[in-house]
Amino acid sequence: MEGAWLDISVPCEEEPTAGDEGVGLPERGAERARWLGRARWLGRAAWMGTYVTAPPGGEGPGATVGRARVLHLDDVDCIRADSLARYEPRAGERLLLRTRNSPREWWKRPHGDDFVRLSEAAVRRRVACVGVDYVSRAGFHAEALEVHQQLREAGVWLIEGLDLSGVPAGVHELKCLPLKVKAEWGLPARALVRALRGQAA
């Protein structure tokens, strides 16, 4: 029997309210200012909360829907090849990697550079999809964008910004759908999992 669905998405920052834009402008000017404010927010939303980066030519979100294995890597400072080796990831598998990022509720704090991240070495595992419990941004670590690029070139879908704090290790059903918008990089997404009983990590 399957478990209950868990929402593992992290919320985006709130959209600007009407009072945030266009204060003191004529009605038409205020309306335009509010529209521009929301447009700027949508532009940033690709890198806030939970989002998906697809490889070039990725055909639909099938790689982010289906069975996924949740691994607990709470004792590592960086997810390297040897961090995954004992779990023997299989080609085409979906992996969700829980680290000490999740219990720290990083999305409620100012962003820093002390998160547990995915290393270049871990890219070689050739899985279909990998999900991590942080968001990487240019300037935190120089190799972050390089790892993104290598994953894309290897055909791996990447889900960032997950809250895996309440998710047990093991095999789960994953449903993660990005917005249906043509974009080169990340798209906001909602992610849900439910445990498949009797399936060990």
Side-chain angles (χ1 to χ4, degrees):
M1 180 178 179
E2 291 79 12
W5 285 103
L6 299 175
D7 189 342
I8 57 173
S9 311
V10 170
C12 292
E13 297 174 12
E14 291 185 3
E15 183 179 359
T17 63
D20 294 333
E21 303 283 347
V23 176
L25 295 175
E27 184 176 346
R28 289 181 63 85
E31 181 181 350
R32 183 174 186 274
R34 285 192 292 270
W35 184 88
L36 289 173
R38 293 188 176 100
R40 285 193 294 269
W41 180 86
L42 286 170
R44 296 196 309 271
W47 302 100
M48 299 185 301
T50 301
Y51 60 90
V52 172
T53 301
E59 296 297 329
T64 58
V65 175
R67 287 195 171 204
R69 194 158 45 129
V70 176
L71 306 181
H72 286 190
L73 306 173
D74 301 326
D75 58 347
V76 302
D77 294 320
C78 179
I79 303 170
R80 306 184 190 280
D82 58 354
S83 308
L84 302 176
R86 65 191 180 105
Y87 296 101
E88 300 181 347
R90 298 178 293 277
E93 188 176 15
R94 302 175 189 89
L95 295 180
L96 304 180
L97 309 178
R98 194 191 84 171
T99 71
R100 65 169 187 266
N101 293 332
S102 285
R104 294 168 63 189
E105 296 187 329
W106 52 267
W107 57 93
K108 296 181 180 179
R109 303 187 297 140
H111 289 289
D113 61 357
D114 59 345
F115 54 81
V116 179
R117 64 194 187 281
L118 189 66
S119 75
E120 178 183 347
V123 175
R124 303 171 192 159
R125 288 291 167 172
R126 299 290 179 175
V127 295
C129 168
V130 61
V132 292
D133 56 358
Y134 76 100
V135 291
S136 63
R137 297 185 180 169
F140 284 1
H141 292 282
E143 68 270 25
L145 290 181
E146 183 177 350
V147 170
H148 269 77
Q149 187 61 35
Q150 290 179 349
L151 284 167
R152 295 180 78 239
E153 291 173 355
V156 179
W157 289 65
L158 176 64
I159 309 172
E160 293 193 70
L162 295 175
D163 175 12
L164 298 171
S165 55
V167 183
V171 179
H172 294 67
E173 183 179 359
L174 168 68
K175 292 186 183 295
C176 179
L177 296 175
L179 290 180
K180 193 173 182 179
V181 178
K182 187 175 182 180
E184 183 178 357
W185 288 95
L187 285 171
R190 193 75 178 264
L192 303 170
V193 294
R194 64 175 175 178
L196 298 177
R197 301 303 184 192
Q199 301 289 330

